[in-house]
Amino acid sequence: MRCLLVLPLLLAAALAAVPPLLGPTLPPGTELRLLSADLRTLHGAWRVEGRRLLPLSPPLAPKAGQEVQLLLVLPGEKPRAFPGMAERGDVFLPWEKEQVSLLRLLKEVYGLAPPERLWP
């Protein structure tokens, strides 16, 4: 019986460990753009529509381990850039002394349904 009471607490603690790095919410119309570190190459662009993350362009895969910039454009706000590292169809964003998966953030923190990989 105690295990049943502890399980929800452990699950909540695990989900709470993923910080809302991109802000409190990602409302519909929010755009995410993945650019090279020098901002010259657009690797992909996506828009939040309801609970889905829809591609705006075909992705151009960055090299594994390549430094990238994630540009977050919330409706009616100025764009914000986040440094990251491209790896296996995902972007890892620095948080404290760790790296946090963008796809995991989108799923667990923001409740979105992104694709399994941002690029093939």
Side-chain angles (χ1 to χ4, degrees), residues 20-113:
L21 286 175
L22 306 177
T25 63
L26 296 179
T30 297
E31 289 189 11
L32 298 165
R33 297 179 191 156
L34 186 62
L35 300 150
S36 59
D38 63 6
L39 307 177
R40 291 183 178 193
T41 304
L42 177 66
H43 291 289
W46 301 267
R47 178 179 292 131
V48 174
E49 294 292 338
R51 291 272 190 223
R52 297 178 57 206
L53 187 67
L54 302 176
L56 296 176
S57 64
L60 175 63
K63 295 177 184 174
Q66 179 179 337
E67 290 184 22
V68 293
Q69 290 286 322
L70 178 68
L71 191 66
L72 176 70
V73 185
L74 290 144
E77 294 187 22
K78 291 184 178 183
R80 293 185 298 167
F82 298 87
M85 186 75 61
E87 195 69 48
R88 293 184 226 115
D90 198 356
V91 177
F92 290 87
L93 305 168
W95 178 66
E96 294 182 353
K97 294 182 180 181
E98 298 179 29
Q99 298 287 317
V100 177
S101 160
L102 174 61
L103 291 174
R104 183 175 175 211
L105 275 173
L106 295 174
K107 287 178 193 174
E108 295 178 10
V109 175
Y110 298 104
L112 298 178

